[in-house]
Amino acid sequence: MNDDEHLRRFEDQSLPRELWHHRAHLKVAYLYLTRFPFEEALRRLRIGIKAFNLAKGIADTPTGGYHETMTQAWLQLVYTTLRQFGPADSADAFFDAQTHLNDKRVLRLFYSRDRIMSAEAKATFLGPGLAPLPRPLQ
């Protein structure tokens, strides 16, 4: 599925739940970041994930559903990578080239398990405790 279709199917919640995995989340983040400033991309991503989860019956539990810190931290990692290396012809081409983003464990370089899995991190953005998130060069 091409980028426009992926984004449309996310926004109208017609993307099958079984296709809503790590890379699918990051593709939406990338597509928003290539179309909007960071704060607008974050706003759209936050609203979109919550709406998608609701439409697909993904319960918001202590260990599942929307997670504010993960959403913001991953968006920052995609943003920094995009700023450093530039966009690709497609979201898939970008993530094929930027393989470090494909590993869900990357956040453990910045967050302890206890911090990232806390109820506070799920509800509100917590900065990392192990190392700062990278920022693009200005």
Side-chain angles (χ1 to χ4, degrees), residues 77-87 94 135-138:
L77 290 175
V78 173
Y79 176 72
T80 300
T81 305
L82 181 59
R83 294 284 306 267
Q84 289 297 117
F85 297 98
F94 181 80
R135 299 236 182 248
L137 298 174
Q138 299 300 329

Side-chain angles (χ1 to χ4, degrees), residues 8 25-26 40 42 44 47 57 60 82 117 125 137:
R8 178 189 59 77
H25 281 73
L26 295 188
E40 179 63 15
L42 175 59
R44 287 173 180 260
I47 290 168
D60 201 21
L82 181 59
M117 297 308 294
F125 178 73
L137 298 174

Side-chain angles (χ1 to χ4, degrees), residues 51-108:
F52 187 89
N53 287 354
L54 182 64
K56 297 300 177 181
I58 300 170
D60 201 21
T61 67
T63 58
Y66 182 78
H67 193 293
E68 184 66 29
T69 298
M70 285 187 189
T71 299
Q72 287 199 44
W74 276 112
L75 190 68
Q76 182 65 44
L77 290 175
V78 173
Y79 176 72
T80 300
T81 305
L82 181 59
R83 294 284 306 267
Q84 289 297 117
F85 297 98
D89 291 336
S90 70
D92 281 321
F94 181 80
F95 291 107
D96 287 346
Q98 307 304 331
T99 57
H100 62 285
L101 295 172
N102 295 315
D103 187 344
K104 292 185 340 182
R105 298 172 299 174
V106 163
L107 288 186
R108 292 294 304 280

Side-chain angles (χ1 to χ4, degrees), residues 103-121:
D103 187 344
K104 292 185 340 182
R105 298 172 299 174
V106 163
L107 288 186
R108 292 294 304 280
L109 296 170
F110 309 99
Y111 291 90
S112 68
R113 184 179 191 325
D114 288 344
R115 186 168 180 85
I116 197 72
M117 297 308 294
S118 71
E120 185 180 6

Side-chain angles (χ1 to χ4, degrees), residues 118-135:
S118 71
E120 185 180 6
K122 188 173 184 322
T124 62
F125 178 73
L126 288 184
L130 300 177
L133 289 165
R135 299 236 182 248

Side-chain angles (χ1 to χ4, degrees), residues 13-61:
Q13 294 97 37
S14 66
L15 186 72
R17 182 176 175 169
E18 61 271 11
L19 296 181
W20 187 232
H21 44 66
H22 176 69
R23 187 159 169 155
H25 281 73
L26 295 188
K27 284 174 65 171
V28 171
Y30 170 85
L31 294 169
Y32 282 152
L33 287 167
T34 59
R35 290 165 168 80
F36 304 103
F38 182 88
E39 289 302 322
E40 179 63 15
L42 175 59
R43 186 187 74 76
R44 287 173 180 260
L45 188 60
R46 187 183 279 137
I47 290 168
I49 291 172
K50 289 176 182 180
F52 187 89
N53 287 354
L54 182 64
K56 297 300 177 181
I58 300 170
D60 201 21
T61 67

